[in-house]
Amino acid sequence: MTPLDYEYLRKLLKERSGLDLSADKQYLVESRLLPLARRSNLAGIPELVQRMKGGAELLTSEVVEAMTTNETFFFRDKIPFDHLKEAVLPALAQARAARRSLRIWCAASSTGQEPYSIAMLLKEMTALFAGWRIEIVATDLSQAVLEKAKAGLFSQFEVQRGLPIQLLVKYFVQKGELWQLNADIRGMVQHRQLNLLQDVSHLGTFDVIFCRNVLIYFDQQTKAGVFGKVARMLEPDGVLALGAAESVVGITNLFRPYPERRGLYQPNTAPVARAGAALHVLKAVASAAR
């Protein structure tokens, strides 16, 4: 792969997925794209790039998918799910008691372990949400991983990563060497293809948004743009969950930390309040001048 090929791929991946590759990540691109080039009967990455430049859109989509990290597992990092169970969901159950509905969005949901973890957690809290309308929307850039997620089929290795044995026995059925989630859990999750860099407002507003372990691959400007979209889609008392290595600090003032729950954030209404106070002062000054 020539330096020009690498720069072309870096620019394309940044535009299509937000992935911000540094100059020393050429080895990563080669390891991910050489197998794709061979499956496409191409000699190597230079030929792959040439086909992409020629307008091979399907191949370009496959390149973007190949470069997207899909690492995930059930109840990943555990703590955010503990926060959800112990603090967030009980508070929302009280705040939404009149409307009896709840909407949750899992962005960059990969093969489905995160939204299905939330679905199982909610199922375990049936006494609190009996009769409620609950929507869990799972989105990802890759259609391939969404199809896997919809099937709800997981290997022995996948169900051993983070999934408590009692939930495996309760909500899964063994099919040969695989385990499949029960239909009622699968039915709680809607899977949709979505690019976080594009307009996402059609999804509506949510009470909880999980956007974990995806922003770490974006540059500051792209992160700020995603935070702006998320802020507009989150209810005023809603909750945003980020990954362990992610934070809003130094990027945006649209969110404030959730009290005593690390990794969780809520919309920050302080800037609006300050703007309102400033407007009040200006009106008072103008009135006095008259």
Side-chain angles (χ1 to χ4, degrees), residues 42-62:
L42 299 171
I45 293 179
E47 291 76 16
L48 189 73
V49 169
Q50 196 61 36
R51 287 277 298 275
M52 292 165 65
K53 288 181 177 178
E57 186 58 35
L58 179 59
L59 185 61
T60 299
S61 297
E62 290 177 344

Side-chain angles (χ1 to χ4, degrees), residues 194-207:
L194 186 80
N195 188 333
L196 286 174
L197 302 188
Q198 298 171 354
D199 179 29
V200 297
S201 61
H202 60 279
L203 292 179
T205 58
F206 294 89
D207 304 293

Side-chain angles (χ1 to χ4, degrees), residues 3 6 16 22 43 50 58 101 124 143 164 184 191 254-255 257:
Y6 184 56
R16 293 292 188 97
S22 57
Q50 196 61 36
L58 179 59
S101 67
E124 292 292 292
Q143 187 61 44
D184 59 339
H191 301 274
L254 295 173
F255 299 93

Side-chain angles (χ1 to χ4, degrees), residues 22-222:
S22 57
D24 61 349
K25 288 293 190 294
Q26 185 168 326
Y27 72 92
L28 178 63
V29 172
E30 290 175 341
S31 67
R32 297 274 181 91
L33 297 189
L34 273 175
L36 175 59
R38 290 167 184 149
R39 288 197 304 272
S40 303
N41 297 317
L42 299 171
I45 293 179
E47 291 76 16
L48 189 73
V49 169
Q50 196 61 36
R51 287 277 298 275
M52 292 165 65
K53 288 181 177 178
E57 186 58 35
L58 179 59
L59 185 61
T60 299
S61 297
E62 290 177 344
V63 165
V64 174
E65 288 199 10
M67 289 303 303
T68 303
T69 301
N70 291 310
E71 169 68 7
T72 185
F73 52 90
F74 289 103
F75 295 96
R76 184 177 183 179
D77 302 329
K78 190 177 181 298
I79 292 176
F81 298 94
D82 290 342
H83 292 338
L84 200 62
K85 178 181 178 180
E86 297 166 2
V88 176
L89 290 176
L92 287 172
Q94 184 176 4
R96 306 290 187 270
R99 78 180 199 199
R100 296 171 68 78
S101 67
L102 196 66
R103 300 195 78 224
I104 300 173
W105 175 26
C106 289
S109 59
S110 188
T111 47
Q113 283 92 323
E114 181 177 88
Y116 285 141
S117 294
I118 296 174
M120 285 185 281
L121 190 151
L122 283 163
K123 202 72 171 179
E124 292 292 292
M125 302 175 72
T126 297
L128 194 60
F129 294 104
W132 284 50
R133 184 174 65 86
I134 295 176
E135 291 183 76
I136 302 174
V137 180
T139 66
D140 199 275
L141 178 66
S142 169
Q143 187 61 44
V145 300
L146 288 172
E147 292 302 322
K148 174 176 168 53
K150 288 178 187 177
L153 283 166
F154 300 94
S155 67
Q156 185 69 39
F157 173 72
E158 288 171 320
V159 298
Q160 287 177 335
R161 298 186 72 195
L163 183 66
I165 185 65
Q166 65 269 27
L167 296 185
L168 174 64
V169 173
K170 191 171 183 179
Y171 296 118
F172 288 76
V173 175
Q174 191 164 13
K175 293 195 171 184
E177 296 182 353
L178 300 176
W179 292 84
Q180 185 168 40
L181 261 169
N182 293 344
D184 59 339
I185 298 295
R186 299 201 311 270
M188 293 175 66
V189 180
Q190 305 170 30
H191 301 274
R192 303 182 192 177
Q193 187 175 25
L194 186 80
N195 188 333
L196 286 174
L197 302 188
Q198 298 171 354
D199 179 29
V200 297
S201 61
H202 60 279
L203 292 179
T205 58
F206 294 89
D207 304 293
V208 178
I209 296 178
F210 268 51
C211 188
R212 304 173 63 233
N213 307 304
V214 60
L215 297 178
I216 53 175
Y217 302 107
F218 296 171
D219 62 21
Q220 297 292 86
Q221 183 178 357
T222 307

